[in-house]
Amino acid sequence: MTLQEFLLKQGYTKIKLKFTKTNHFEIKATINGAKGLFILDTGASNSCIGFNSIKNFDLEIEDSEVKAAGAGATDMTTKLSKKNVIKIGKWKRDKVALILFNLAHVNTALTNHNSNPIDGIIGADILKKGKAIIDYQKKYLYLKL
């Protein structure tokens, strides 16, 4: 029995990942009914959306005391958006909180390496909720339905 067969029997769904030139996995997800492109980042504690995608995903935002750090930038101002619906493949959750911050430095780095700009980052919070398993060799993300 393959890993895929085993996980599908256990109630997981599989989502195709695209490996980029920057050694990241890109993943498509839908937030509040709007499609977007994300980087899968197991090292990011929270899932994030760029400020420039607030309207696209119809996010209700509030101030946040948290400062973000990552990808070479520190002490970045953040906002918070609660009660969002996220869908990745057949997997879906509501009441998902997302951190919002300026992703311009990330997108500049990606486009400088001929990769697509992203709307956000799928982090460990969502991966944990989905009991995620990543098949790096076959480039699939499995999430428990």
Side-chain angles (χ1 to χ4, degrees), residues 48-67:
C48 309
I49 302 287
F51 284 142
N52 61 337
S53 296
I54 291 171
K55 281 186 182 157
N56 180 46
F57 295 122
D58 194 25
L59 302 175
E60 290 182 24
I61 59 171
E62 55 188 71
D63 288 333
S64 170
E65 297 299 313
V66 178
K67 295 287 183 186

Side-chain angles (χ1 to χ4, degrees), residues 31-138:
I31 296 178
N32 302 329
K35 293 180 181 175
L37 188 63
F38 298 83
I39 280 181
L40 189 69
D41 187 349
T42 59
S45 52
N46 295 92
S47 295
C48 309
I49 302 287
F51 284 142
N52 61 337
S53 296
I54 291 171
K55 281 186 182 157
N56 180 46
F57 295 122
D58 194 25
L59 302 175
E60 290 182 24
I61 59 171
E62 55 188 71
D63 288 333
S64 170
E65 297 299 313
V66 178
K67 295 287 183 186
T74 58
D75 212 30
M76 294 181 292
T77 301
T78 65
K79 300 278 186 189
L80 181 63
S81 179
K82 299 176 182 173
K83 298 181 185 170
N84 296 290
V85 177
I86 185 163
K87 190 169 186 276
I88 304 171
K90 294 177 185 167
W91 185 85
K92 184 178 175 183
R93 286 292 179 281
D94 54 10
K95 297 179 187 155
V96 175
L98 298 164
I99 305 293
L100 290 100
F101 72 103
N102 188 342
L103 281 175
H105 66 288
V106 173
N107 281 324
T108 298
L110 290 170
T111 53
N112 284 346
H113 289 89
N114 299 317
S115 286
N116 295 320
I118 57 164
D119 296 296
I121 296 163
I122 301 294
D125 56 340
I126 287 174
L127 296 174
K128 194 172 173 187
K129 280 181 181 136
K131 298 182 176 154
I133 295 170
I134 301 169
D135 184 338
Y136 285 89
Q137 189 175 9
K138 295 209 164 78

Side-chain angles (χ1 to χ4, degrees), residues 14-30:
K14 78 175 185 178
I15 300 103
K16 185 72 178 154
L17 298 171
K18 180 184 171 195
F19 197 64
T20 69
K21 292 175 182 143
T22 56
N23 292 334
H24 292 100
F25 278 128
E26 273 181 3
I27 187 168
K28 291 178 181 164
T30 303

